[in-house]
């Protein structure tokens, strides 16, 4: 045992150059195996910590629950905790939204709604407000003071007419930055107020609940219990709201572990391929060494142990170094990702705050153990084949070997005239298997990189933004159903006096910088097909987009001219997620709502298409605009898409905003807003992917380094003799560059060739899933050029370094070289 360990340790020191490369590969593998779960877990822990601070703690809520059902739900054995909330109404304010709701103490705790000071309301005239609410009311007051509040109560499923009442302030809530910015607030009223204003039969509660989590259930198991309880008590699916953010933040998501396993398996595979290929390339060179050992009595088991322990000795030094490097890198990578997102999102701000405060410890002992254990397994799997090859070597045959390639020199083909090219070809021909393994080992990472680069190149923030909104600016009507105080905001009423009229079109088109305005129409439809309460529209698309409509049909056939008839429609494939039974040829009997009138009409699904959300605006029943306009007796314009001569013009934006503010009945969104959102998210994802792939690439390049160093090392004597008879240093450099170029071109051919072919089906999948609003294929030219440039640069520098190393020894010393 001691002898084999001693031999292995001495071998490690003797084969220093090769083992340094293996050590670097192990260090990088260990670092990746540590960084990936640490950064992944760190980002998740930070987001979960921010979620737990900012988001409610209920697992789910059931809407529109009556008191009888509340009592039954409260007794259910799977519900460990519950609270009640009921929305009484809204304060009638022009510029702000203030919900007036009743919440019991459990509901307040589940909402993490804490009073800044004062008490919860108990009497019918008591109210809890905030400073922001008082400012919106234009009044002042403190605890004990009274305020006059104009409000609308929910009655019969609608907001009733405005009433006014004096309330006594009994407490204050804090205003969040988001509330101030969005001007949306919550005021608390008492149960007495609720019951005095709304008849008992119409009182509807929101039942907030937490599922009993004994036994550490997963998010999927909790969600299933929530759905089962709802079915048992006849609660419709539309009235179930599952708090996904809180569940994922506090319970195990089944997707998390497989995702980490897949990523670590990829890293492990790259490490195995690299370390194995390094050993394989140098194994032939050590045939005589192992043959001598067997000749003096070493058993097969001892030979295997020597190879294994030599690798493990390297790992003993490299693994701690990799863990140390991973520790240093993880914190910086985590901060880089957190700081990349420049948005004003409250969660992102909270993540940065928690990260800077050091409240979350991103380093956990089990990640260190996991990374070290997986790395040791990686090294072991890398050595299985070399151990087997070394143990199988015959003593007699090994002693007969005269060169590293396993072929005697008298078999070499002679040349009357020896050239650099012939020398390169002869060396590569004598080591075909070694060359193939080196190329394949590097190409695996190259293929993976090209596939990922394909998706990232197709996920262009500009195109994603263009997929989210048509044109540079979008103007749309303010629509609010079920509000008696503002019946004019119902879509049926908006149609009668639509602010999106010809006068507005002309006003917008006359603004400096506007190139045109496209008008999209819509008609509200209902029917047995749709769930009750859904707001579905026939989407009238202008003829300008006829080519896009026809081009993106994935099933069936329909022309724009056929859609003008008003009898045929195209269904966006996104609707199939909710109604998977729909198919081409189906006939839909729908009720069309046009202002005050309704009529029945049958529509045939002529085709199913796949369209950007900016074109559909989530109205998935698509027709020609002419057909929608003909069916309507009113102005059915639903959105204006404004095209500017620039992607974003501050002056034009301000002019449009003035028009919107003056109307008070329309809203505005911009292409730039969508672009900034996409750019922020995609920058983080791209950075993470390329850092990960970059380190994998460095691990793979160790193969090229080892192959070229080993190739020169075993030919050191031969090269010395050739230089003694006239080969110049520049010719030696040229020979090494040509050999390196062969490996580089071979790797590029497979990486770029197969990677490009494999990337296209991945793009199609991403497109079908709506990932990043990907719509068009873009070949990753920059990634391909970067891979080629990086390999060529490494190969050139490596050839220069090896040539310089060889030239350090005199020709006499090189001729005397013996291994």
């Amino acid at each position: 045992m001691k002898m084999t360990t001693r031999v292995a340790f001495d071998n490690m020191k003797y084969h220093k150059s090769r083992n340094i490369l293996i050590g670097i590969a192990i260090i990088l593998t260990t670092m990746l195996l540590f960084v990936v779960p640490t950064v992944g877990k760190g980002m998740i822990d930070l987001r979960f910590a921010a979620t737990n601070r900012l988001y409610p703690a209920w697992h789910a809520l059931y809407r529109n629950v009556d008191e009888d059902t509340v009592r039954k739900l409260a007794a259910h054995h799977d519900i460990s905790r519950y609270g009640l909330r009921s929305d009484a109404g809204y304060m009638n304010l022009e510029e702000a939204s203030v919900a007036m709701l009743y919440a019991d103490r459990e509901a307040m705790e589940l909402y993490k709604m804490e009073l800044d000071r004062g008490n919860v309301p108990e009497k019918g005239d008591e109210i809890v407000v905030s400073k922001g609410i008082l400012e919106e009311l234009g009044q002042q007051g403190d605890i004990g003071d009274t305020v006059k509040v104009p409000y609308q109560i929910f009655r019969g499923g609608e907001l009733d007419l405005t009433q006014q009442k004096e309330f006594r302030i009994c407490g204050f809530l804090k205003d969040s930055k988001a509330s101030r910015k969005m001007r949306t607030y919550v005021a608390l009223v008492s149960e007495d107020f609720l019951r005095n204003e709304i008849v008992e039969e119409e009182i509807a509660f929101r039942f907030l609940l937490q599922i009993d989590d004994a036994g550490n259930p997963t998010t999927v198991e909790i969600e299933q219990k929530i759905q089962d309880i709802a079915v048992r008590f006849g609660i419709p699916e539309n009235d179930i709201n599952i708090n996904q953010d809180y569940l994922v933040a506090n319970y195990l998501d089944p997707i998390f572990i497989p995702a980490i396993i897949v990523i670590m398996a990829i890293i492990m595979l790259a490490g195995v391929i690299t370390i194995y290929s390094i050993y394989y390339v140098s194994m032939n060179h050590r045939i005589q060494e192992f043959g001598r050992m067997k000749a003096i009595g070493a058993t097969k088991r001892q030979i295997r142990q020597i190879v294994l322990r030599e690798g493990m000795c390297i790992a003993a030094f490299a693994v701690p170094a990799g863990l140390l490097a991973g520790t240093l890198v993880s914190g910086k990578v985590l901060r880089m990702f957190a700081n990349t997102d420049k948005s004003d999102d409250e969660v992102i701000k909270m993540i940065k705050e928690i990260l800077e405060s050091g409240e979350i410890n991103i380093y956990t002992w089990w990640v260190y153990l996991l990374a070290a254990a997986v790395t040791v397994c990686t090294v072991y799997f890398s050595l299985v084949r070399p151990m087997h090859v070394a143990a199988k070597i015959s003593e007699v045959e090994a002693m007969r070997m005269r060169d590293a390639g396993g072929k005697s020199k008298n078999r070499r083909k002679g040349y009357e005239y020896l050239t650099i090219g012939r020398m390169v070809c002869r060396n590569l021909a004598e080591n075909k298997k070694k060359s193939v393994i080196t190329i394949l080992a590097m190409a695996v990472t190259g293929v993976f990189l090209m596939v990922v680069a394909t998706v990232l190149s197709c996920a262009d923030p500009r195109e994603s933004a263009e997929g989210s909104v048509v044109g540079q600016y979008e103007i749309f009507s303010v629509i609010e159903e079920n509000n008696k105080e503002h019946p004019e905001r119902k879509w049926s009423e908006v149609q009668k006096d639509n602010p999106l009229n010809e006068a507005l079109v002309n006003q917008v088109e006359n603004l400096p910088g506007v190139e045109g305005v496209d008008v999209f129409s819509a008609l509200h439809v209902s029917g047995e097909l749709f769930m009750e309460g859904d707001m579905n529209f026939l989407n009238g698309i202008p003829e300008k987009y006829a080519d896009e409509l026809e081009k993106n049909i994935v099933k069936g056939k329909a022309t724009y001219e056929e859609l003008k008839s008003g009898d045929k429609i195209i269904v966006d494939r996104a609707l199939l997620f909710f109604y998977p039974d729909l198919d081409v040829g189906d006939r839909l009997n729908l009720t069309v709502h046009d202002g005050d009138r309704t009529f029945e009409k049958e529509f045939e699904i002529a085709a199913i298409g796949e369209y950007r959300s900016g074109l559909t605006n989530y109205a998935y029943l698509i027709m020609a605009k002419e057909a929608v306009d003909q069916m309507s007796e009113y102005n059915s314009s639903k959105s204006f898409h404004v095209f500017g001569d620039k992607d974003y013009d501050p002056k034009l934006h301000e002019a449009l905003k003035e028009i919107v503010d003056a109307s008070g009945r329309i809203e505005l969104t911009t292409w730039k807003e969508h672009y900034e959102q996409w750019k922020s998210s995609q920058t983080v994802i791209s950075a993470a992917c390329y850092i990960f792939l970059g380190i994998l690439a460095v691990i793979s390049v160790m193969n090229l380094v080892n192959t070229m160093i080993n190739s020169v090392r075993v030919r050191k004597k031969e090269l010395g003799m050739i230089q003694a008879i006239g080969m110049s240093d520049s010719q030696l450099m040229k020979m090494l560059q040509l050999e390196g170029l062969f490996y580089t071109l071979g790797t590029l051919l497979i990486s770029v060739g197969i990677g490009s072919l494999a990337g296209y089906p991945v793009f199609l999948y991403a497109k079908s899933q709506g990932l990043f609003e990907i719509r068009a294929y873009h070949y990753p030219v920059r990634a391909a050029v970067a891979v080629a440039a990086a390999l060529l640069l490494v190969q050139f520098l490596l050839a220069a370094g090896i040539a310089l190393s060889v030239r350090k020894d005199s020709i006499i010393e090189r001729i005397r070289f013996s291994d």
Side-chain angles (χ1 to χ4, degrees):
M1 182 71 73
K2 290 184 179 179
M3 182 199 75
T4 55
T5 302
R6 180 65 185 175
V7 171
F9 187 76
D10 289 341
N11 282 346
M12 183 189 72
K13 293 190 293 182
Y14 182 75
H15 300 287
K16 186 165 55 178
S17 60
R18 183 204 65 184
N19 290 332
I20 286 174
L21 296 177
I22 294 174
I24 293 172
I26 295 174
I27 288 171
L28 293 173
T29 301
T30 308
M31 184 180 77
L32 263 187
L33 288 170
F34 180 81
V35 168
V36 168
T38 297
V39 172
K41 182 178 180 299
M43 289 295 291
I44 291 170
D45 287 347
L46 287 168
R47 180 168 285 275
F48 290 172
T51 297
N52 281 330
R53 284 194 187 184
L54 298 173
Y55 285 81
W58 42 267
H59 293 171
L61 67 80
Y62 299 137
R63 300 186 190 91
N64 302 319
V65 179
D66 59 36
E67 292 192 71
D68 183 52
T69 307
V70 165
R71 285 191 293 271
K72 293 176 182 178
L73 284 169
H76 196 279
H77 64 279
D78 279 331
I79 297 176
S80 61
R81 186 181 180 191
Y82 74 92
L84 297 177
R85 162 194 161 183
S86 184
D87 294 6
Y90 278 85
M91 293 185 187
N92 187 4
L93 301 172
E94 287 297 327
E95 302 295 333
S97 173
V98 182
M100 300 173 66
L101 59 88
Y102 159 72
D104 64 15
R105 292 187 182 276
E106 283 291 330
M108 289 182 65
E109 289 183 16
L110 290 171
Y111 269 116
K112 297 182 179 175
M113 191 183 295
E114 296 181 2
L115 296 185
D116 187 30
R117 53 197 177 95
N119 301 303
V120 295
E122 295 179 354
K123 297 179 181 179
D125 63 345
E126 290 182 334
I127 191 169
V128 171
V129 294
S130 68
K131 289 183 178 179
I133 294 175
L134 292 179
E135 289 173 8
E136 296 292 349
L137 288 169
Q139 301 177 48
Q140 294 181 342
D142 206 338
I143 293 177
D145 295 335
T146 59
V147 289
K148 289 183 179 180
V149 178
Y151 62 91
Q152 297 171 261
I153 293 295
F154 278 114
R155 292 191 180 96
E158 293 183 324
L159 283 173
D160 210 339
L161 298 175
T162 300
Q163 301 170 244
Q164 189 161 293
K165 181 182 177 72
E166 284 194 351
F167 287 87
R168 188 180 68 85
I169 299 173
C170 64
F172 276 89
L173 291 166
K174 278 187 177 179
D175 291 318
S176 68
K177 291 181 180 178
S179 293
R180 288 279 190 174
K181 182 179 179 181
M182 302 299 295
R183 299 179 73 176
T184 57
Y185 305 90
V186 169
L188 297 178
V189 295
S190 66
E191 186 176 2
D192 285 347
F193 174 82
L194 177 72
R195 295 188 182 279
N196 289 335
E197 292 287 344
I198 306 175
V199 296
E200 186 175 349
E201 294 76 18
E202 291 189 3
I203 293 178
F205 290 100
R206 297 195 182 194
F207 187 89
L208 317 172
L209 63 102
Q210 283 189 342
I211 295 294
D212 185 3
D213 58 4
N216 298 318
T218 65
T219 55
V220 172
E221 291 169 339
I222 291 175
E223 288 176 27
Q224 187 59 54
K225 285 186 178 181
I226 292 168
Q227 297 285 357
D228 291 343
I229 293 170
V231 170
R232 180 174 179 180
F233 290 97
I235 298 171
E237 190 172 345
N238 281 357
D239 287 337
I240 304 171
N241 184 6
I242 297 176
N243 191 354
Q244 297 282 359
D245 291 317
Y246 184 82
L247 290 181
V248 173
N250 292 276
Y251 298 93
L252 179 65
D253 189 342
I255 297 175
F256 175 72
I257 292 178
I260 293 295
I261 290 174
V262 168
I263 294 173
M264 295 188 77
I266 291 171
I267 300 168
M268 187 175 178
L269 178 63
V272 167
I273 292 172
T274 300
I275 298 169
Y276 164 72
S277 62
I278 291 174
Y279 268 104
Y280 178 84
V281 166
S282 57
M283 186 56 69
N284 285 345
H285 178 58
R286 299 182 64 186
I287 286 178
Q288 289 188 10
E289 175 187 331
F290 292 121
R292 293 188 191 107
M293 289 183 187
K294 294 190 77 174
I296 60 175
T299 65
K300 290 184 177 181
R301 183 179 182 279
Q302 287 174 324
I303 295 293
R304 287 196 294 267
Q305 288 297 309
I306 288 170
V307 175
L308 175 62
R309 291 178 188 180
E310 182 179 341
M312 290 304 172
C313 284
I314 301 169
F317 291 98
V319 169
L323 293 175
L324 178 61
T327 303
L328 297 174
V329 169
S330 296
K332 293 182 179 180
V333 170
L334 202 55
R335 283 176 172 78
M336 182 194 73
F337 288 161
N339 293 325
T340 299
D341 196 328
K342 304 296 183 183
S343 67
D344 293 329
D345 185 82
E346 288 294 317
V347 175
I348 299 300
K349 288 182 178 179
M350 184 59 70
I351 286 174
K352 293 176 182 178
E353 182 181 318
I354 294 171
L355 183 61
E356 292 303 321
S357 67
E359 295 176 35
I360 298 294
N361 181 20
I362 64 172
Y363 304 109
T364 52
W365 61 269
W366 63 266
V367 176
Y368 284 95
L369 289 181
L370 178 65
V374 175
T375 303
V376 170
C377 290
T378 301
V379 175
Y380 175 78
F381 290 136
S382 305
L383 295 172
V384 169
R385 178 63 181 168
M387 286 162 56
H388 178 71
V389 171
K392 202 169 65 171
I393 293 172
S394 164
E395 300 92 319
V396 176
E397 289 300 319
M399 296 301 292
R400 288 177 179 173
M401 303 297 288
R402 297 186 60 190
D403 63 32
K407 297 180 181 180
S408 58
K409 291 182 181 179
N410 57 13
R411 289 186 182 181
R412 288 182 176 177
K413 180 182 178 181
Y415 295 101
E416 185 175 353
Y417 300 102
L418 191 60
T419 64
I420 298 298
R422 285 176 173 177
M423 290 183 66
V424 171
C425 292
R426 188 191 66 183
N427 179 55
L428 295 173
E430 289 180 352
N431 298 279
K432 293 177 184 176
K433 199 170 181 181
K434 176 188 72 176
S435 301
V436 169
I437 287 176
T438 300
I439 291 171
L440 290 178
M442 291 194 296
V444 168
T445 302
V447 169
F448 188 57
L449 189 149
M450 287 298 296
V451 170
V452 174
T454 298
V455 176
L456 294 177
S457 67
C458 295
D460 183 273
R462 176 175 294 277
E463 290 188 355
S464 297
E466 289 171 354
S468 301
V469 60
V470 174
Q472 281 69 49
Y473 309 89
E474 182 180 352
I475 300 173
F476 49 93
S477 299
V478 176
I479 301 172
E480 184 181 358
E481 302 292 328
N482 304 321
N483 186 342
K484 285 186 178 179
E485 190 66 29
H486 293 285
E488 75 280 359
R489 294 179 184 171
K490 287 184 178 181
W491 173 242
S492 58
E493 296 300 320
V494 169
Q495 285 183 279
K496 298 176 186 177
D497 183 23
N498 199 331
L500 301 182
N501 49 37
E502 283 297 323
L504 183 61
V505 171
N506 294 331
Q507 186 179 3
V508 172
E509 285 182 333
N510 289 328
L511 292 175
V514 173
E515 293 185 340
V517 178
D518 289 343
V519 182
F520 284 62
S521 301
L523 276 177
H524 178 209
V525 294
S526 61
E528 293 182 1
L529 165 70
F530 304 113
M531 291 183 286
E532 187 178 351
D534 275 6
M535 192 74 173
N536 297 285
F537 287 93
L538 291 174
N539 189 354
I541 308 292
E543 191 166 4
K544 173 181 176 180
Y545 301 92
D547 289 343
E548 183 175 349
L549 285 177
E550 295 173 12
K551 180 182 177 182
N552 289 294
I553 289 175
V554 295
K555 188 176 183 181
K557 185 179 180 182
T559 65
Y560 193 83
E561 289 300 319
E562 290 174 332
L563 297 179
K564 287 182 179 180
S565 68
D567 298 321
K568 294 185 177 183
I569 58 174
I570 296 176
V571 171
D572 189 301
R573 191 157 72 174
L575 188 65
L576 302 186
F577 177 81
F578 305 99
Y579 306 102
D581 294 334
L582 292 178
D583 203 353
V584 172
D586 289 351
R587 295 185 177 275
L588 307 180
N589 293 308
L590 301 177
T591 301
V592 181
H593 303 265
D594 181 40
D596 292 330
R597 73 187 188 105
T598 62
F599 58 92
E600 303 294 323
K601 186 169 176 59
E602 185 180 73
F603 300 93
E604 178 189 351
I605 300 178
I608 295 173
E610 192 174 80
Y611 303 103
R612 49 182 171 148
S613 60
L615 189 72
T616 64
N617 279 317
Y618 308 102
Y620 301 128
L621 303 176
I622 300 170
M623 299 181 70
K625 175 175 165 48
E626 291 90 332
V628 171
D629 290 343
Q630 286 172 6
M631 280 189 280
S632 176
E633 294 181 355
Y634 303 96
N635 182 353
S636 57
S637 299
K638 192 165 183 288
S639 59
F640 285 179
H641 296 269
V642 182
F643 291 83
D645 56 5
K646 299 177 183 176
D647 286 334
Y648 180 72
D649 184 343
K651 292 182 179 179
L652 177 55
H653 185 198
E654 189 60 34
L656 289 171
K657 196 170 183 303
E658 288 178 6
I659 293 174
V660 168
D661 292 341
S663 169
R665 300 175 58 199
I666 54 179
E667 293 181 309
L668 174 70
T669 187
T670 69
W671 175 89
K672 185 185 178 186
E673 293 170 1
H674 290 273
Y675 174 75
E676 294 296 337
Q677 291 172 359
W678 283 114
K679 184 179 179 181
S680 176
S681 61
Q682 291 176 15
T683 298
V684 174
I685 294 171
S686 297
C689 290
Y690 283 127
I691 289 173
F692 172 70
L693 292 172
I695 298 175
L696 276 185
V698 173
I699 295 174
S700 297
V701 166
M702 295 298 103
N703 293 293
L704 176 62
V705 176
N706 175 73
T707 299
M708 292 191 65
I709 290 176
N710 187 72
S711 176
V712 171
R713 185 168 180 270
V714 299
R715 292 183 295 152
K716 203 169 185 179
K717 183 175 182 178
E718 176 185 324
L719 293 175
M721 295 176 67
I722 293 174
Q723 281 202 286
I725 60 174
M727 184 182 191
S728 66
D729 287 343
S730 63
Q731 288 175 317
L732 173 64
M733 178 68 177
K734 183 179 179 181
M735 184 191 74
L736 294 175
Q737 286 179 337
L738 287 174
E739 288 182 6
L741 190 61
F742 170 80
Y743 296 116
T744 298
L745 293 178
T747 301
L748 284 176
L749 183 64
I750 297 175
S751 298
V752 177
I754 296 179
S756 300
L757 294 174
Y760 190 73
V762 175
F763 150 74
L764 292 177
Y765 175 78
K767 179 183 177 182
S768 67
Q769 297 299 309
L771 186 65
F772 299 126
E773 281 286 348
I774 289 175
R775 294 293 166 192
Y777 176 75
H778 297 287
Y779 183 76
V781 176
R782 283 186 288 186
V785 171
V787 170
L791 281 174
L792 289 170
L793 179 63
V794 169
Q795 172 253 316
F796 177 81
L797 295 175
L798 183 59
I802 293 173
L804 181 63
S805 176
V806 170
R807 289 198 297 267
K808 285 182 180 178
D809 297 330
S810 66
I811 293 177
I812 300 297
E813 289 173 333
R814 277 179 263 165
I815 293 174
R816 288 176 178 172
F817 173 77
S818 177
D819 188 27

